[in-house]
Amino acid sequence: MTIGTTRDGRDDGTRDDATPPRSTVARLPRALGHRWPTLLALALALATFVDGLPPVPLLAGLLGVMPVCYLIFGAFRRELGRPGVLVLQVAGLLGFAAVALTALAVDDTLGFRLLAVGWLAHAVWDFVHHRTGKVVPRAWSEWCCVVDASGALAMLLLA
């Protein structure tokens, strides 16, 4: 009888060699490699907000541009022709643009708070797109979700 077998010769699942199973630390590089959009997004958010908040007009402009990117991706991926998809994407664009324009019309403190809510709502928008895998590539929605959530948090903490 050898190590790893029972009396009747069946394998009991133990290993003959002393090699331990791969640890969490050993799996970390591979896991991080799959999360490259998140790492890139965190780097961008850090670079953007490390020295304070950018001006309200810039952050409002970004909130307005984000949904346009979804329309562009959706057009190239030919996903806007499915029932209701274009209507939903345009509704998102109008909603986020309304928040951005409102943030421009109020004082900066309230503007940052409105933008934080808008960016957080867009992070949810990204998350839903990531889960469904529709309209935009998953890497894009993952990246955008982390940028938006990080930006919203920075605006709430720094405003």
Side-chain angles (χ1 to χ4, degrees), residues 14-95:
T14 60
R15 301 176 68 150
D16 286 339
D17 59 5
T19 307
R22 290 188 66 189
S23 68
T24 302
V25 174
R27 292 188 305 251
L28 189 61
R30 182 180 165 115
L32 291 176
H34 289 300
R35 296 279 65 98
W36 68 265
T38 294
L39 296 173
L40 189 62
L42 289 172
L44 176 64
L46 182 64
T48 302
F49 295 101
V50 70
D51 58 351
L53 291 171
V56 167
L58 175 64
L59 296 173
L62 289 171
L63 183 59
V65 167
M66 291 177 210
V68 173
C69 294
Y70 276 61
L71 286 168
I72 292 169
F73 270 120
F76 277 111
R77 295 179 73 183
R78 294 189 170 112
E79 294 206 16
L80 299 179
R82 291 182 298 126
V85 174
L86 181 59
V87 171
L88 183 63
Q89 296 302 314
V90 170
L93 170 67
L94 295 174

